[in-house]
Amino acid sequence: MLTDSQMLEIAKKYIKLNEEEINIELIIFEQLTMIKSYGNIYSYGPKDSKYRLAGNGPFLVKNDTGLVIQFGTSNDIEYYITGYEDGTWKPSTHGVWDPNQN
């Protein structure tokens, strides 16, 4: 089981990859972190408020594997959490990142 600290480090690595792709500095809004029995859900955005992002929905870092599951942006976060928990929502293949593969 990963600790909160280990999951946050994975989240920061994931954000760094996104940051490099779009060339905008990003931050995790740690005060918005949702702690679940299966992992932590993080929200993020641009460090500089002059930027607006599209597609930067919250993401889950699983505490058993460290896998990152990107949630969508077209619905409320509760939609994705409920669907993830009851198995009715599955991430797309490009919505999963394995920090152990990079």
Side-chain angles (χ1 to χ4, degrees):
M1 240 6 146
L2 297 171
T3 65
D4 287 340
S5 176
Q6 289 169 316
M7 286 185 284
L8 180 58
E9 284 306 308
I10 291 169
K12 287 179 180 178
K13 287 179 187 176
Y14 180 67
I15 291 304
K16 190 72 170 163
L17 288 175
N18 288 319
E19 189 176 87
E20 291 169 359
E21 283 183 24
I22 63 174
N23 201 28
I24 296 173
E25 191 173 1
L26 301 172
I27 58 170
I28 293 173
F29 304 122
E30 291 186 46
Q31 70 277 15
L32 298 178
T33 301
M34 300 173 79
I35 299 171
K36 299 290 188 175
S37 62
Y38 47 83
N40 291 349
I41 298 170
Y42 300 95
S43 296
Y44 69 101
K47 184 173 185 179
D48 188 332
S49 62
K50 74 179 181 183
Y51 296 108
R52 299 259 187 235
L53 296 182
N56 63 312
F59 61 91
L60 164 68
V61 177
K62 294 179 63 173
N63 61 12
D64 60 347
T65 62
L67 283 177
V68 173
I69 310 283
Q70 180 70 53
F71 292 133
T73 57
S74 61
N75 291 295
D76 185 276
I77 182 62
E78 291 304 321
Y79 167 85
Y80 296 102
I81 292 171
T82 301
Y84 179 81
E85 290 175 351
D86 69 15
T88 59
W89 178 84
K90 302 283 186 211
S92 65
T93 55
H94 67 277
V96 177
W97 178 67
D98 185 349
N100 302 308
Q101 297 298 315
N102 295 335

